[in-house]
Amino acid sequence: MPSPLYADRPAQPPEPGTVDALISQTRRLRGDVDAVRRDAVMDEDEDDPRNRWQRALCDLAVHQLDDLGAHLDQLRAGIPDELPATPPADADAVGAEAEGVSDPGAAYGVPSPRTGSLLSRVGSAEWNLLNDEVSWSEELYQIFGRNPESGPMSLDELPSMVFAEDQPLLQALVTDCLIDGKPIDGEFRIVRTDGRVRTLHMMGEPVLDSDGCTASMWAVLRDVSELRRSERAVRESRDSLQRRRHIERTERRVAVELQEAVLPPWRGSLRFAHGGPGAPLDVAGHYLPAASTGLIGGDWYDALALPDGDALLTVGDLTGHGVSATSSMAMLLGALRGMAVAGIRPGALMGHLNQLLESAVQPALGSAMCCRYEPVSQTLSWAQAGHPAPLLFRDGTGRALKRPDGVLLGATTGAAYEEAEIRLLPGDLLMLHTDGLTRRGGMDDTGTQRLLGLAPRLAEARDAQDCVRSVVEEFGEAPREDDACVMVVRVGH
């Protein structure tokens, strides 16, 4: 019958206060058990096995409460996501079912108490050294899977069921008890007659005669197989979690190094065509990592002076995070720079990027914007692939430019990308960004409106870097679902 503590309750993580209360209750209960054990020792009649049994049960209860206290401390420290939220209703039944036996004593006709009860997992034995008599409790036959008709096992027969590796330990425990009068407290594994492997915790002590010689040895044996199995699962889960976190930290470090190697090395403002023909450009950019993940994404921004005097301006975003995304971003940005230097126009360039991403070893989708600025004519030609439109700020107000047609990179074979042109005036400010900056779950444009609302502050900014700083102050502390890039381009006089 499942414990009512877990019946009809959804799996939920425990509240910290609840765990603290359980820890306090466990400590109080352990103190109470200690008091009962001390009273049992003071009132104990050495010749009465019932008193020894009571004291042994108190010792076992202390062990269980110590185990429970340690587990509750781990619970308060934090539960890995992989661990089950609630324990099984009947741990012993789960363990027996996993090993193909529904009732440990059924194969031998031994009536078994409820499988999850304490008594079904605790048995007692006494070996009399004077007359070679051995007595086992009924529960001990169940633990060993031994037919009661076969009778109890002597100390010489007991090692035959014990793992070969554990036999020296058992021998040492018994020898120390019989010869040196030391109490027994140790664990060993047995192979039952039905082939099942169980772990037993043995506690006991010698019984002395009037001359102080060992007359018999009694012991209480507890089946701790499920407890040790649970501890192994916790240990393995913790080790697995630590390995995963190490891998994630390593991957993040590699991704950061790769991103820093690819993104523009300049910090602050970058000025184009200063002192040359046409209006110069003041450019600044910034990368904002995601708050919800510890991994670096595939966002990029770039500004590059081209051989003919034009300037390349681009931002983009590839799906995914980690080394895979940053390596794909590095490949795409390198190709984009090479084709721009070769003089390929933004629309055709986007088509080549689409083909490149579609045929990549690691398929991905991406949004991107590619702009080419001619300083002599002050003309901006641009194309986009499923990307937010540039924001143009002029005379203290801002607006989004009308986007030319263009689908996501890697989404469609042979996609064509339109180009748009606009003439920029001295004092104009152009803002390019990835959608991670403004997205908040759904298709909400409130982020764009917040950017456009920065127009008065941007008009008073000293340079492009100051404009970027205002954007970061507005959006940098917000919990973003994805990483983001922003680049500000201001046309000089």
Side-chain angles (χ1 to χ4, degrees):
M1 176 179 177
S3 168
L5 179 62
Y6 303 106
D8 301 324
R9 288 179 57 182
Q12 296 178 349
E15 296 292 335
T18 304
V19 176
D20 289 337
L22 288 174
I23 292 175
S24 298
Q25 292 175 13
T26 302
R27 290 173 179 170
R28 287 197 299 270
L29 184 57
R30 192 194 187 286
D32 294 341
V33 174
D34 270 335
V36 173
R37 181 171 58 173
R38 286 194 299 270
D39 293 342
V41 171
M42 292 177 61
D43 300 338
E44 180 174 310
D45 180 357
E46 291 292 340
D47 296 329
D48 189 349
R50 290 177 299 179
N51 289 333
R52 294 201 300 268
W53 173 255
Q54 181 183 12
R55 183 156 56 88
L57 285 179
C58 287
D59 290 339
L60 287 174
V62 169
H63 273 282
Q64 296 235 15
L65 289 171
D66 287 342
D67 288 339
L68 178 60
H71 294 160
L72 288 174
D73 287 337
Q74 292 178 350
L75 190 63
R76 181 171 57 181
I79 309 175
D81 295 337
E82 292 79 0
L83 295 181
T86 57
D90 195 333
D92 289 301
V94 172
E97 182 179 344
E99 296 180 4
V101 179
S102 59
D103 185 345
Y108 296 93
V110 179
S112 174
R114 183 176 68 85
T115 310
S117 69
L118 174 64
L119 293 180
S120 67
R121 289 178 281 128
V122 179
S124 63
E126 185 165 3
W127 290 271
N128 192 307
L129 304 182
L130 301 179
N131 56 20
D132 291 331
E133 289 184 358
V134 182
S135 62
W136 274 21
S137 69
E138 188 174 302
E139 293 79 18
L140 199 55
Y141 286 99
Q142 297 176 30
I143 291 174
F144 277 83
R146 183 175 175 84
N147 190 337
E149 296 180 358
S150 301
M153 302 179 70
S154 68
L155 288 176
D156 293 332
E157 295 173 318
L158 189 60
S160 65
M161 296 189 67
V162 178
F163 258 56
E165 296 90 337
D166 296 347
Q167 289 178 7
L169 171 63
L170 177 61
Q171 183 179 2
L173 291 173
V174 172
T175 301
D176 290 344
C177 179
L178 297 180
I179 297 179
D180 299 328
K182 295 182 179 179
I184 295 175
D185 189 351
E187 289 186 8
F188 54 88
R189 294 164 295 170
I190 64 168
V191 181
R192 291 162 39 113
T193 53
D194 58 7
R196 296 171 63 198
V197 176
R198 310 300 289 175
T199 301
L200 305 186
H201 182 194
M202 185 177 183
M203 296 180 63
E205 61 184 31
V207 179
L208 306 181
D209 59 16
S210 58
D211 297 327
C213 299
T214 303
S216 65
M217 186 186 79
W218 69 271
V220 173
L221 292 98
R222 171 190 173 205
D223 187 341
V224 294
S225 304
E226 274 67 41
L227 175 61
R228 297 299 175 250
R229 184 182 295 117
S230 298
E231 290 173 346
R232 285 196 302 272
V234 171
R235 185 168 58 252
E236 291 169 359
S237 298
R238 183 188 62 237
D239 293 344
S240 176
L241 184 63
Q242 290 174 344
R243 287 194 299 271
R244 191 181 71 181
R245 287 175 175 171
H246 175 71
I247 292 173
E248 288 176 352
R249 287 194 295 268
T250 301
E251 182 177 355
R252 175 178 172 80
R253 184 177 66 252
V254 172
V256 168
E257 292 174 354
L258 180 58
Q259 184 192 61
E260 291 177 347
V262 173
L263 292 184
W266 40 269
R267 297 293 182 267
S269 292
L270 177 68
R271 301 185 185 278
F272 289 98
H274 184 66
L281 294 182
D282 179 20
V283 182
H286 189 76
Y287 172 84
L288 298 92
S292 58
T293 67
L295 296 177
I296 301 298
D299 288 49
W300 80 79
Y301 66 92
D302 195 20
L304 181 67
L306 300 177
D308 59 1
D310 292 354
L312 167 70
L313 309 169
T314 177
V315 292
D317 177 16
L318 289 183
T319 56
H321 293 87
V323 176
S324 170
T326 51
S327 60
S328 296
M329 177 268 287
M331 173 197 69
L332 212 62
L333 185 54
L336 190 155
R337 289 167 172 168
M339 287 186 284
V341 168
I344 298 178
R345 303 293 299 177
L349 192 153
M350 299 300 281
H352 291 308
L353 290 183
N354 177 68
Q355 184 179 5
L356 180 63
L357 194 59
E358 183 186 14
S359 60
V361 176
Q362 297 176 330
L365 295 176
S367 69
M369 181 192 310
C370 180
C371 307
R372 192 179 184 103
Y373 176 71
E374 299 177 5
V376 176
S377 63
Q378 298 181 356
T379 301
L380 183 79
S381 303
W382 64 288
Q384 63 84 30
H387 201 84
L391 304 181
L392 176 62
F393 295 85
R394 178 178 291 173
D395 298 329
T397 61
R399 64 182 177 91
L401 300 182
K402 184 179 179 180
R403 296 193 309 172
D405 289 339
V407 299
L408 286 172
L409 299 177
T412 305
T413 302
Y417 295 85
E418 294 183 354
E419 276 190 30
E421 285 190 0
I422 184 173
R423 187 171 183 273
L424 301 180
L425 304 179
D428 282 354
L429 187 146
L430 197 68
M431 184 180 297
L432 315 179
H433 67 88
T434 57
D435 61 358
L437 182 67
T438 56
R439 186 173 62 240
R440 290 294 183 275
M443 301 298 292
D444 194 343
D445 62 352
T446 57
T448 301
Q449 295 303 318
R450 287 172 61 193
L451 280 175
L452 294 175
L454 293 175
R457 292 171 58 182
L458 300 181
E460 297 176 357
R462 297 186 303 272
D463 53 20
Q465 179 64 18
D466 200 18
C467 295
V468 168
R469 196 173 293 114
S470 296
V471 175
V472 173
E473 289 174 356
E474 179 70 19
F475 290 89
E477 300 300 326
R480 286 176 306 281
E481 297 177 359
D482 197 3
D483 48 353
C485 286
V486 59
M487 188 165 67
V488 171
V489 182
R490 193 162 73 170
V491 183
H493 295 277

